[in-house]
Amino acid sequence: MQKKHFILSILTLSILGLITSLYLTYDHYYPSLEGSFCDITASISCTILNSGVYSKVAGIPVAMYGVVWFMVLGILSWKGVNNKNTIPTLLLWNTGGFLSLFYFIYVEFLLRTICPFCTVVHILVAVCLLISILLFKKFYKAT
């Protein structure tokens, strides 16, 4: 597989993550009176996590951090298509994103609730890290 395929995979996943994070941000600011369509039970609910006490960090909705994170990931991916020096930055960015998942999963554990869309974001971040590790190992050679 070529470097371009790895980068385009990360770019595609960043777009999916951006769309998901935008939905969660919208849902945070404009919650439906009936709840989110992903509210299945009390333990599987976007609304509980997206409107609760842990839904903001420093006054900013957590979903908005996801929007920014995936936007930066998309920009780094786009730049990485023609610039191999972006590969270490991609790996570092994805590592930071992956480490932040521990906090978000901990919050889900505290609230005893899983957010399906948050879980999609978690999986996308983990897969992006895996791809960036493979990309780094296969194509980046420090000179």
Side-chain angles (χ1 to χ4, degrees):
M1 187 178 264
Q2 295 180 340
K3 178 185 84 143
K4 187 175 183 177
H5 292 114
F6 282 92
I7 298 284
L8 291 177
S9 296
I10 293 174
L11 180 60
T12 302
L13 294 173
S14 71
I15 292 167
L16 292 173
L18 177 62
I19 291 167
T20 306
S21 296
L22 284 168
Y23 167 75
L24 288 168
T25 301
Y26 178 85
D27 191 52
H28 176 86
Y29 284 114
Y30 306 104
S32 170
L33 295 176
E34 297 84 37
S36 173
F37 69 87
C38 73
D39 293 344
I40 299 167
T41 66
S43 61
I44 302 174
S45 170
C46 294
T47 300
I48 291 172
L49 284 164
N50 211 11
S51 62
V53 65
Y54 297 104
S55 67
K56 291 183 180 180
V57 173
I60 300 170
V62 170
M64 184 59 76
Y65 288 107
V67 169
V68 172
W69 192 85
F70 281 111
M71 286 177 69
V72 171
L73 180 63
I75 291 166
L76 289 173
S77 302
W78 186 258
K79 289 177 80 173
V81 171
N82 296 315
N83 182 355
K84 84 172 196 170
N85 293 327
T86 307
I87 293 173
T89 307
L90 265 173
L91 178 58
L92 185 63
W93 187 254
N94 281 306
T95 300
F98 182 78
L99 292 175
S100 71
L101 295 182
F102 290 101
Y103 169 75
F104 300 124
I105 292 169
Y106 174 70
V107 168
E108 287 182 324
F109 176 77
L110 279 178
L111 297 175
R112 294 185 173 109
T113 302
I114 294 173
C115 167
F117 282 104
C118 299
T119 302
V120 168
V121 168
H122 300 168
I123 292 168
L124 292 172
V125 171
V127 171
C128 284
L129 175 61
L130 178 63
I131 294 170
S132 65
I133 290 169
L134 295 172
L135 181 66
F136 184 83
K137 284 184 171 185
K138 188 166 183 169
F139 297 104
Y140 185 79
K141 293 178 177 53
T143 54

